[in-house]
Amino acid sequence: MNTVESNLPNEGEKTDEPEFFKDVVGRFGEETTLHGVNHIVTKKSHFIQRCAWFIFLAGAISLLGVYAFENILHFFSRPMSTTIAIKQLDELEFPSVTFCNYNHARLSVTTPNELSMLGSFFGLVEDGIDIFTADFSEINTTIVAEDLIRKTAHTVEGAVELCTWELYEECGPLNFTTVMTDFGMLVHTKGERPLISQFGFALGPGYETLVAFRKILYKSLKKPYPSECVDEGVKYSDVYTQSLCEEECIADVLYEKCGCRHTFYPGYSDHKNCTVEEAVECVVPEAENIVQTNTHCKCRIGCQYKEYSTKVSSALWPGDHFLEHLEHHLNQSTETIKKNYLDVYLYYEDISYEFVEQVPAYSPIKLLCDIGGLMGLLCGMSVMTIIEIAEFIFISIGKCVPKGRKVGDVVT
């Protein structure tokens, strides 16, 4: 005869699971490192006392949740701080120095019609009226603006009368490279297109000017930080800066709209250069519209770039003791020298550079430390307490899962 043995509880038989949970909760409350729980679960305390401890613990946990949430929001806002350090070096690379005469053209090589075209090209006005009135019906409008400017502009040979390097070593026109740029002077990074109109300064004849400069190295943070810097290059320069990127963007927009490259904007060698008429009638108005509306070109700052800050001071020049020597050397009168010549000294302020760096103001470690401090202050909790709570929940869930009903062995 076959006999079946079963371990299923009989109908009406009570299990001891409620007693088990009561025991587990009681033991957890008495042994946990979460402060206040033992006062709530113990039967030795009065009911009112237990309720009071429950309110205190609930309030502390609520405050912990609020402050922890605020700290997390602060962390994801990605706050930054800026550190500034002065770093000493034994030597520094001398930067590029670009200068351009404020006089637009040499009258000795410029015809009246060319003066008219240059006046319209540069937008020279007096009391709202053009100083030079260009009648394009009588002027060859196919003249390329850049060719006209190069023909009439001042030359390096005429601009540099005397040059010395480190006080004693002679230099001259062969040490300079001709570029198309705005008027003034600028100290800038080698390989960087000079944006004199934005960052340059002016020098006047009849003065000795001292230009002290300092190198500044900037380092910014990438996304998700607010600076959202970019590590990329630009098409027409060896160096990336936000200003150069915006200039290149404007140049591309102008080339697309006008079909030619403006003299003072960068471009590829195969880009058609604008004639004077194209520059005056299309490029200049479009460029002003782009700058005023600021809708086409928005660039991010570079993650690492450098620039040079300058301190400029000047005094009347030349002194009487030196004037006689210059008159003889230049074969010029005193009036001509004071109206057409100037003296410039360029030098490092000191052999150091300034390092400006953006750093995260609220790191993940600081977030954990702040939340951990709140846990300890408000609830007496630690990471071990969280592990205890997780263990209690895991065991409790395991006891709540219905067990499969087992059938005993079949005995023959």
Side-chain angles (χ1 to χ4, degrees), residues 185 187 201-203 207-213 310-315 317 342-348:
M185 176 173 277
V187 180
F201 51 91
L203 304 177
Y207 287 90
E208 180 178 79
T209 303
L210 306 179
V211 181
F213 51 84
T310 55
K311 294 180 181 178
V312 180
S313 58
S314 59
W317 178 89
L342 56 90
D343 190 25
V344 185
Y345 286 88
L346 298 114
Y347 56 93
Y348 269 107

Side-chain angles (χ1 to χ4, degrees), residues 10 32 92 106 108 146 152 154 169 172 236 256-257 312 321 356:
N10 296 325
T32 182
L92 286 169
R106 293 172 293 157
S108 59
E146 183 170 335
T152 60
H154 291 269
E169 186 178 344
Y236 311 124
E256 182 179 347
K257 291 190 174 183
V312 180
H321 64 285
V356 181

Side-chain angles (χ1 to χ4, degrees), residues 20-32:
F20 170 80
F21 282 116
K22 186 184 295 186
D23 180 61
V24 169
V25 172
R27 189 168 65 250
F28 171 78
E30 292 176 355
E31 297 177 356
T32 182

Side-chain angles (χ1 to χ4, degrees), residues 64-79:
L64 172 61
V66 170
Y67 290 139
F69 182 70
E70 289 181 354
N71 283 324
I72 292 171
L73 288 181
H74 181 55
F75 172 77
F76 282 104
S77 69
R78 305 295 181 182

Side-chain angles (χ1 to χ4, degrees), residues 31-43:
E31 297 177 356
T32 182
T33 55
L34 179 59
H35 291 194
V37 176
N38 60 327
H39 295 285
I40 297 173
V41 300
T42 182
K43 297 179 180 179

Side-chain angles (χ1 to χ4, degrees), residues 1-5 407-412:
M1 183 177 83
N2 293 338
T3 304
V4 178
E5 183 182 346
V407 178
D409 298 333
V410 177
V411 180
T412 304

Side-chain angles (χ1 to χ4, degrees), residues 46-80:
H46 192 275
F47 175 76
I48 296 178
Q49 185 179 5
R50 294 165 67 183
C51 289
W53 273 104
F54 177 81
I55 294 173
F56 294 152
L57 181 61
I61 293 176
S62 299
L63 286 176
L64 172 61
V66 170
Y67 290 139
F69 182 70
E70 289 181 354
N71 283 324
I72 292 171
L73 288 181
H74 181 55
F75 172 77
F76 282 104
S77 69
R78 305 295 181 182
M80 305 180 304

Side-chain angles (χ1 to χ4, degrees), residues 140-153:
N140 182 9
T141 59
T142 61
I143 295 178
V144 176
E146 183 170 335
D147 294 342
L148 175 62
I149 293 172
R150 289 186 180 276
K151 173 182 178 293
T152 60

